[in-house]
Amino acid sequence: MSRPASPTPPGRLQPKRGALTPTLIVVALVVVGFIFFANVWTDVLWYQQLGFFEVFLTENVARISIFAAGFAVMFAGVFYAIRIAYHARPVYAPDSEIRDNLNRYQAQLEPVRRVVMVGLPVLFGLFAGSAASSQWQKVLLFFNQESFGQNDPEFGLDISFYLMTLPFLGFIVGFLISVAVVAGIAGILTHYLYGSIRIMERGIFTSRAAQIHLAVTGASFLVLLGINFWLDRYAAVQNNSGRWAGALYTDVNAVIPTKAILAVAAILVAILFIVAAVIGRWRLPLIGTAMLVITSILAGGVYPWVIQQFQVRPSEQTLENEYIKRNISMTRAAYGLDQVQVERYNATTNAASGALAKDAQTTANIRLLDPNLISDAFSQLEQYRPYYQFPNALNVDRYLVDGKVQDTVIAVRELNPEGLSPDQQSWLNTHVVYTHGYGVVAAKGNKFTADGKPEFLQSGIPSTGVLGTDETYEPRIYFGEDSPEYSIVGAPEGAPHREQDRPSGKDTGGETQYTFTGNGGPNVGSFLNRVLYSIKFQSSDLLLSDGVNPASQILYERNPRERVQKVAPYLTVDGNAYPAVVDGRVKWIVDGYTTSQYYPYSQQEQLSDATTDSQTTAGRTVALPNSSVNYIRNSVKATVDAYDGSVTLYAWDDKDPLLKAWQKVFPTSLKPYSEMSAAVMSHVRYPEDLFKVQRELLGRYHVTDPVSFYKNDDAWSVPNDPTVSEDVKQPPFYMSLQMPGQEKPAFQLTSSFIPQVVDGNARNVLYGFLAADSDAGSQKGVKAESYGKLRLLQVPPEAQVPGPGQAQNKFNSDPTVSQALNLLRQGASDVLNGNLLTLPAGGGLLYVQPVYLRSTGETSYPTLQRVLVAFGDKIGFAPTLDEALNQLFGGDSGAAAGDSANNGQTPPAPGGGGTPAPGTTDARAELKAALAEANAAIKAGQEALAKADFAAYGEQQKKLNAALQKAIDAEAKIAATTPASDQSPPATPAPTPSS
């Protein structure tokens, strides 16, 4: 037999198949694999260094296991569906024309048939495994569930069934239904491709093997559908599609029974499919399927609609009464509102003389510093270097000062890498040299200096004050809300310092150097770790720089909130972390919540909507994620050390079943709060975001009578913030006050209520005042019984107490106030309204608003110049709160405010000190006279304008300009005669002679 001629000419070598493509594929896979390894291994190093490797291991083992199970189930279902259908293909097809067409398809598929038969199941398995692995929390909660000890009112099952069992069962059934559907479609397509199923003129031809296969698949699907119908009965108590959450009259009397009927019907039809597979007759299962579809439409949709429209709707209040009771009771329990202490508060609007005598301690603690406006003052007075910064919004806390609790506005001086000049923005500077901020700055909340500056309790570099010194606490801030992405710190003993530490003193220009000595991050001294982190942060400098040494650590994931979220992925983290000086360290305190959307009969709330207010819209705090919940608990208090980043999680609500379940999942990651130090305990406070969610629900659920609740005749809304132009809710405020019925003042988180806002219209009168006790005590591991107590004051509508919007409007429209503020604005300055505080005092509701003045210029900052107060229809306006309250309450308020020491002091000109220097008295008298002339000119000009006498108006404008010029000249004289040593006021200003 002759051999075919070779296509290659004689004498030429046979060409070899190119190896370039396979080599490139292998190299690409190796690179991708190494990058994946780098990201995983650096996570391992981070969790190990922080002491939370258990969290990383448990979560990822769970994810991998669930992925593997999901992959295996989907792969097996699709693979065996295709395999069975292929092996059941007939030897002869009944139609030659169709056979020819299919033969062509089969011929094209045959070379890759084995790849397709394995590749398709693998592909679907990957998708299914990925989707399943994302449900790892449901799986772990199911296998570690804890009882609530409380049953739902419809089925009598423990609440844990709905939060931990039903979601898992729903996930399993839903996943298996998707497997049955995908496998069924794959089997049908394979049967059709290989001739077991034919579409013919006389109908559809199906081989015996295909019939059995389809019958088993259909029966499996129907069994799963029947189970799903049965589970839907329980899910009815989680329904949120009606006016009230939970199973209502129609659900209980129509939906739940029909779901049971449909479940039984689905199982019966599944049995008919199995019978059909045995006897080969399909009429009964087809009829059964049609009946099931019709029944599901009639019983699942039409029948409940008829019941709702013709039975419930005409008598809704009567028929839904029982279910509204359930909704009220379960919602209040799910959000922690069932223990709210409600008190009728017959608020007066009569500002009688001496009315504040009984509220002397509350009056003395009224906060005047607005933490949202005072940041620039902190920056100008305490920043010292452009590479430092303060946050846009400071925090309110309290400290023990001279044996008394002092409300404090506090912030840390964080690093600002953007403060470096462009020629300093090198990799070495931004990641090795400038690594940390320095020190805590704190000011009294209820006091200010004579010229409107904060009165600092803690300040300076080196750090000094009542909170400690550089020797008594560690001031360096390596972990904060604005820390760089990563820093390289640490060096062998004896090595020269490379980190910029701080200015050596307030009056010197020198800088000190420092080397980090803590255990704050994974080691990057080894070559492998340097390579891995170079890949993670995409930086060749990290690999090549001499700034990295054998003892170097890399600090990253430095935001306290994000750090806690990473070590406790089962928590929802509060949007505001706050610093505190405790136990010789600066620690960030972070609140964490366990949440669920499966609590029966509880109203769902959108977290992002409930926690949005003027603070979040301005970017000062973070709103919670856009997710729905109907159960929330402040289950965890966490601390993050600002120096070494160590995280401690305390099980705060140790009775929360969800937290107990997670403690079984992660047994070593949480500590009992009994191990919390006394110092940390004294700075724990009621969390803002939980309070925002609760006040949003309490607007309706303060009503416990189902008849009134149905009518919605006493619904409330959170008032909009009157100090901003947008229609956005007023934030809650921390302050120390004594609520009616309390024996002494406590640190409280407060908010107010007005009548329900409908389409933007509302009467802005006060209907309620809510306060959450935020004092957890000061004993190690002992939580004060009063902590977390919610007290609600209900103001009778007939009291006609002005709401925040009305109070702000009175301030803005009062002629005396507006003229005085207009005079301040004439000097090219901005008048800033501070936060409008509401507090129960004097037998009614007192409003307090600080007014700040900010001049133009890059180095300007707001100074507190006036205080506005309101009670009923009266207002007061003075340089100090104490004077304003005396004005308001007939010349004597009966109590002294925190700034009473400033009474009678004349604020100096910009840049001036607290005590008038010789020669300034006459100039200040001139200034006072000039301002009086200007005020008179403004009044006369307004009167002329009202009469349309433009000539007289023009004359008054000339007088106004002349008076303002006199005022400017007088200010210049004051500035010229003020000693330079008085340019910075002392921490505690001495009283000055009355003006």
Side-chain angles (χ1 to χ4, degrees):
M1 184 176 180
S2 62
R3 304 176 96 185
S6 173
T8 306
R12 184 174 297 179
L13 294 175
Q14 187 79 14
K16 296 182 179 179
R17 180 176 295 179
L20 180 61
T21 300
T23 302
L24 290 176
I25 293 174
V26 171
V27 169
L29 290 174
V30 170
V31 170
V32 171
F34 192 75
I35 293 173
F36 176 77
F37 169 75
N39 283 282
V40 172
W41 190 248
T42 52
D43 272 353
V44 169
L45 295 176
W46 187 86
Y47 278 99
Q48 283 183 329
Q49 181 276 324
L50 200 56
F52 284 86
F53 182 66
E54 171 195 64
V55 175
F56 175 85
L57 186 64
T58 302
E59 177 182 346
N60 284 280
V61 167
R63 285 181 178 273
I64 292 170
S65 300
I66 297 168
F67 174 88
F71 174 87
V73 173
M74 180 62 80
F75 174 86
V78 177
F79 176 79
Y80 283 107
I82 295 174
R83 182 182 177 87
I84 291 170
Y86 175 75
H87 285 292
R89 66 191 185 281
V91 178
Y92 301 104
D95 187 280
S96 59
E97 181 179 350
I98 296 177
R99 184 175 66 242
D100 291 341
N101 291 331
L102 290 177
N103 283 341
R104 286 197 294 270
Y105 296 143
Q106 293 169 10
Q108 293 174 0
L109 179 63
E110 189 60 29
V112 293
R113 176 178 57 80
R114 294 181 182 274
V115 175
V116 171
M117 290 181 65
V118 175
L120 276 178
V122 168
L123 182 63
F124 283 111
L126 292 174
F127 283 125
S130 299
S133 66
S134 65
Q135 305 297 314
W136 66 277
Q137 293 193 16
K138 292 180 181 178
V139 176
L140 291 182
L141 279 178
F142 172 74
F143 287 106
N144 297 275
Q145 58 184 280
E146 285 281 329
S147 171
F148 273 69
Q150 177 187 359
N151 297 336
D152 80 281
E154 178 60 30
F155 295 102
L157 299 173
D158 190 88
I159 302 298
S160 61
F161 171 80
Y162 298 96
L163 271 67
M164 305 182 205
T165 300
L166 190 59
F168 171 78
L169 296 178
F171 156 62
I172 294 297
V173 173
F175 181 80
L176 292 177
I177 286 176
S178 66
V179 171
V181 170
V182 173
I185 293 173
I188 290 172
L189 291 177
T190 306
H191 279 299
Y192 177 76
L193 183 62
Y194 285 97
S196 297
I197 298 177
R198 288 286 181 269
I199 301 176
M200 306 173 65
E201 293 181 1
R202 292 173 296 176
I204 299 176
F205 167 78
T206 308
S207 69
R208 179 64 177 158
Q211 290 179 5
I212 295 174
H213 188 180
L214 294 179
V216 172
T217 302
S220 302
F221 174 79
L222 287 166
V223 168
L224 293 170
L225 189 63
I227 296 173
N228 195 59
F229 280 135
W230 189 260
L231 294 179
D232 281 347
R233 297 168 60 253
Y234 303 109
V237 300
Q238 301 166 334
N239 181 27
N240 268 271
S241 60
R243 289 178 59 187
W244 308 280
L248 305 178
Y249 182 90
T250 300
D251 298 305
V252 171
N253 293 278
V255 175
I256 292 176
T258 55
K259 291 291 184 181
I261 293 170
L262 289 172
V264 174
I267 300 298
L268 293 176
V269 176
I271 295 173
L272 293 178
F273 269 86
I274 298 298
V275 172
V278 175
I279 66 176
R281 296 184 180 180
W282 290 86
R283 178 173 297 178
L284 287 178
L286 292 177
I287 293 174
T289 302
M291 292 299 297
L292 180 62
V293 172
I294 294 171
T295 303
S296 63
I297 294 173
L298 294 177
V302 176
Y303 177 60
W305 181 84
V306 170
I307 294 294
Q308 182 67 32
Q309 292 298 315
F310 299 103
Q311 185 174 353
V312 175
R313 191 172 178 180
S315 307
E316 188 174 48
Q317 180 178 326
T318 303
L319 295 179
E320 300 288 21
N321 188 73
E322 177 186 351
Y323 307 104
I324 294 174
K325 280 183 182 178
R326 295 180 180 181
N327 173 247
I328 294 172
S329 173
M330 301 297 279
T331 299
R332 288 170 62 89
Y335 288 96
L337 302 176
D338 50 344
Q339 300 299 320
V340 175
Q341 180 179 310
V342 182
E343 180 179 339
R344 182 180 174 88
Y345 188 56
N346 294 311
T348 180
T349 56
N350 179 28
S353 178
L356 297 182
K358 295 181 179 179
D359 301 293
Q361 295 186 70
T362 296
T363 305
N365 285 317
I366 294 175
R367 179 169 52 78
L368 295 172
L369 292 192
D370 183 347
N372 305 317
L373 294 181
I374 207 69
S375 176
D376 286 344
F378 272 50
S379 297
Q380 289 298 321
L381 299 173
E382 288 292 326
Q383 184 173 323
Y384 291 106
R385 293 292 187 270
Y387 53 80
Y388 289 138
Q389 66 178 327
F390 289 97
N392 292 330
L394 312 185
N395 283 284
V396 179
D397 202 350
R398 69 281 191 203
Y399 286 85
L400 198 64
V401 179
D402 297 330
K404 297 181 179 180
V405 176
Q406 172 70 57
D407 281 11
T408 306
V409 177
I410 188 171
V412 295
R413 191 184 290 109
E414 288 204 51
L415 183 67
N416 177 23
E418 301 301 321
L420 301 176
S421 61
D423 59 344
Q424 290 180 295
Q425 296 279 351
S426 65
W427 181 89
L428 192 70
N429 272 344
T430 55
H431 296 290
V432 178
V433 177
Y434 294 93
T435 59
H436 61 277
Y438 196 91
V440 167
V441 178
K444 295 179 180 179
N446 62 339
K447 297 182 180 181
F448 56 95
T449 63
D451 55 350
K453 297 176 183 176
E455 187 172 317
F456 290 108
L457 289 165
Q458 187 78 21
S459 61
I461 293 180
S463 185
T464 57
V466 299
L467 307 189
T469 65
D470 284 8
E471 287 71 36
T472 59
Y473 86 97
E474 174 54 68
R476 295 169 182 87
I477 311 297
Y478 282 90
F479 293 82
E481 295 178 306
D482 294 299
S483 297
E485 181 185 15
Y486 69 93
S487 293
I488 307 297
V489 299
E493 187 175 350
H497 301 308
R498 304 196 68 165
E499 297 178 50
Q500 186 79 5
D501 192 31
R502 61 170 175 80
S504 57
K506 188 173 184 179
D507 302 321
T508 64
E511 307 288 336
T512 61
Q513 306 297 309
Y514 181 73
T515 298
F516 179 79
T517 59
N519 179 22
N523 180 274
V524 287
S526 68
F527 177 75
L528 175 61
N529 284 2
R530 290 176 70 169
V531 170
L532 295 178
Y533 279 104
S534 297
I535 293 172
K536 180 179 181 67
F537 293 109
Q538 302 178 18
S539 171
S540 59
D541 295 302
L542 200 156
L543 179 64
L544 304 174
S545 173
D546 65 351
V548 184
N549 58 68
S552 289
Q553 302 172 42
I554 183 167
L555 312 182
Y556 61 102
E557 301 287 357
R558 300 165 76 174
N559 184 292
R561 292 183 62 257
E562 296 171 0
R563 205 165 174 85
V564 171
Q565 185 70 79
K566 193 167 181 178
V567 301
Y570 49 90
L571 294 178
T572 300
V573 177
D574 191 89
N576 187 18
Y578 59 99
V581 180
V582 294
D583 303 324
R585 314 284 279 200
V586 179
K587 291 184 183 290
W588 295 93
I589 301 177
V590 185
D591 287 284
Y593 310 112
T594 46
T595 62
S596 177
Q597 58 180 329
Y598 301 114
Y599 201 93
Y601 278 101
S602 177
Q603 201 72 29
Q604 292 218 356
E605 190 65 42
Q606 201 77 15
L607 286 180
S608 59
D609 292 342
T611 56
T612 296
D613 56 23
S614 59
Q615 291 286 82
T616 60
T617 54
R620 299 188 184 107
T621 58
V622 181
L624 292 187
N626 187 25
S627 58
S628 293
V629 303
N630 63 6
Y631 173 87
I632 186 169
R633 289 290 185 272
N634 177 210
S635 53
V636 172
K637 300 283 188 184
T639 62
V640 179
D641 193 295
Y643 182 73
D644 62 17
S646 56
V647 178
T648 306
L649 303 178
Y650 294 100
W652 185 250
D653 188 349
D654 53 4
K655 296 180 181 179
D656 175 32
L658 278 181
L659 182 64
K660 288 182 179 180
W662 286 119
Q663 284 182 289
K664 291 168 68 175
V665 176
F666 305 111
T668 66
S669 66
L670 287 102
K671 294 182 178 180
Y673 74 82
S674 59
E675 296 184 20
M676 184 181 287
S677 71
V680 175
M681 187 72 73
S682 65
H683 291 283
V684 163
R685 67 188 193 187
Y686 201 82
E688 288 182 76
D689 284 333
L690 173 62
F691 186 79
K692 291 178 188 178
V693 173
Q694 288 177 320
R695 72 174 181 176
E696 195 71 22
L697 269 298
L698 205 58
R700 288 191 66 197
Y701 286 89
H702 68 277
V703 178
T704 56
D705 175 43
V707 175
S708 177
F709 192 88
Y710 174 84
K711 295 177 181 178
N712 202 32
D713 57 2
D714 191 22
W716 300 343
S717 290
V718 176
N720 287 333
D721 191 340
T723 64
V724 299
S725 57
E726 300 88 357
D727 289 336
V728 61
K729 285 176 286 193
Q730 188 179 43
F733 298 115
Y734 287 104
M735 66 181 84
S736 288
L737 62 88
Q738 184 173 350
M739 291 284 285
Q742 278 189 294
E743 297 179 357
K744 59 182 180 178
F747 192 61
Q748 316 257 12
L749 183 57
T750 65
S751 186
S752 54
F753 296 99
I754 61 174
Q756 186 178 39
V757 177
V758 180
D759 296 329
N761 299 314
R763 291 177 62 235
N764 206 289
V765 293
L766 205 72
Y767 270 20
F769 181 84
L770 179 67
D773 194 315
S774 295
D775 274 336
S778 57
Q779 298 183 47
K780 178 183 177 180
V782 179
K783 191 192 308 183
E785 292 184 5
S786 60
Y787 172 84
K789 187 72 174 180
L790 293 173
R791 295 179 174 88
L792 176 64
L793 302 181
Q794 286 189 304
V795 181
E798 60 271 15
Q800 295 294 307
V801 176
Q806 283 191 14
Q808 187 69 56
N809 186 59
K810 289 180 185 296
F811 293 155
N812 296 340
S813 60
D814 184 86
T816 304
V817 174
S818 61
Q819 288 174 12
L821 296 182
N822 284 335
L823 280 174
L824 294 175
R825 294 188 183 100
Q826 292 286 346
S829 299
D830 292 328
V831 174
L832 306 175
N833 290 327
N835 46 206
L836 181 61
L837 303 180
T838 309
L839 58 157
L845 275 301
L846 174 68
Y847 291 97
V848 178
Q849 183 176 58
V851 179
Y852 293 84
L853 184 67
R854 179 172 187 159
S855 62
T856 57
E858 294 182 357
T859 60
S860 65
Y861 57 89
T863 57
L864 196 150
Q865 295 296 319
R866 296 289 186 272
V867 181
L868 284 160
V869 293
F871 192 95
D873 292 327
K874 293 184 64 177
I875 69 168
F877 181 57
T880 67
L881 173 61
D882 195 69
E883 290 181 33
L885 290 175
N886 286 333
Q887 284 182 19
L888 185 64
F889 291 97
D892 180 16
S893 67
D899 64 346
S900 58
N902 288 359
N903 287 346
Q905 298 191 49
T906 302
T915 305
T920 63
T921 305
D922 293 340
R924 286 184 173 168
E926 293 175 12
L927 175 61
K928 184 176 181 180
L931 291 176
E933 291 178 19
N935 191 19
I938 290 176
K939 289 181 178 179
Q942 293 296 325
E943 291 174 359
L945 195 60
K947 297 175 182 178
D949 188 350
F950 297 104
Y953 177 75
E955 187 64 28
Q956 294 301 325
Q957 287 298 107
K958 292 178 182 179
K959 291 182 180 180
L960 174 61
N961 291 333
L964 290 175
Q965 185 59 50
K966 289 180 183 179
I968 293 172
D969 294 340
E971 284 188 344
K973 290 180 183 179
I974 295 171
T977 56
T978 301
S981 60
D982 288 343
Q983 297 298 313
S984 296
T988 305
T992 60
S994 300
S995 59

